[in-house]
């Protein structure tokens, strides 16, 4: 069922371009198999809901979220870290982005 939908979407998105259809299909299959290895979580459920049957995007978003979560986990506790985590729960890439922008702005505002 999933594989048939992936082929159908590749055909629809790239009519008359068979090599692109094949490439897109293979990338989607690889990403689908990868996503099947990820244990259930709130993060995975949100990504699946946001990008149904787009497994390449799911994989990309998941990997970026995990990298950002690891970054946020590596930071020492601070008011800023607490604030961005509270403001953007379960969106680790946004947490990382906001945190880095705040640090950058804080540095720019320091007296020279």
């Amino acid at each position: 069922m999933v594989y048939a939908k992936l082929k159908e979407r590749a055909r629809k998105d790239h009519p008359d371009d068979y090599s692109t259809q094949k490439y897109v299909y293979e990338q989607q299959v690889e990403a689908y198999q990868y996503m099947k290895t990820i244990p259930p979580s709130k993060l995975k459920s949100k990504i699946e809901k946001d990008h149904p049957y787009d497994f390449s995007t799911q994989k990309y978003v998941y990997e970026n979220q995990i990298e950002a979560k690891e970054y946020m986990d590596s930071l020492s506790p601070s008011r800023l870290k607490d604030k961005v985590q509270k403001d953007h729960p379960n969106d680790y890439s946004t947490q990382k982005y906001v945190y880095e922008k705040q640090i950058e702005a804080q540095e720019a505002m320091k007296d020279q």
Side-chain angles (χ1 to χ4, degrees):
M1 172 77 173
V2 170
Y3 297 105
K5 282 191 176 204
L6 295 177
K7 275 189 180 179
E8 178 184 320
R9 183 167 179 186
R11 288 179 184 132
K12 181 181 169 222
D13 290 350
H14 307 283
D16 301 323
D17 187 346
Y18 304 108
S19 60
T20 300
Q21 288 176 17
K22 180 178 182 276
Y23 174 79
V24 168
Y25 173 75
E26 288 171 350
Q27 292 299 306
Q28 289 289 343
V29 167
E30 183 273 326
Y32 170 68
Q33 291 170 343
Y34 172 84
M35 290 304 294
K36 285 190 344 182
T37 69
I38 306 301
S41 67
K42 286 182 186 179
L43 175 60
K44 182 179 179 185
S45 294
K46 180 180 183 330
I47 292 168
E48 290 171 334
K49 181 181 169 211
D50 291 348
H51 308 284
Y53 287 98
D54 187 350
F55 300 104
S56 293
T57 300
Q58 287 179 19
K59 179 182 177 189
Y60 175 81
V61 171
Y62 182 80
E63 288 175 341
N64 282 329
Q65 288 287 337
I66 293 303
E67 182 273 325
K69 181 181 185 314
E70 290 169 355
Y71 172 83
M72 292 303 296
D73 288 347
S74 75
L75 298 173
S76 299
S78 69
R79 287 192 336 227
L80 176 57
K81 179 181 174 182
D82 291 344
K83 180 178 180 351
V84 298
Q85 288 177 322
K86 181 181 175 215
D87 290 350
H88 307 283
N90 301 316
D91 188 348
Y92 306 108
S93 60
T94 299
Q95 289 176 15
K96 179 182 177 190
Y97 175 81
V98 171
Y99 181 87
E100 289 177 340
K101 289 299 178 186
Q102 287 292 331
I103 293 298
E104 187 179 294
Q106 182 183 43
E107 291 297 316
M109 295 306 296
K110 283 185 178 176
D111 290 330
Q112 300 296 323

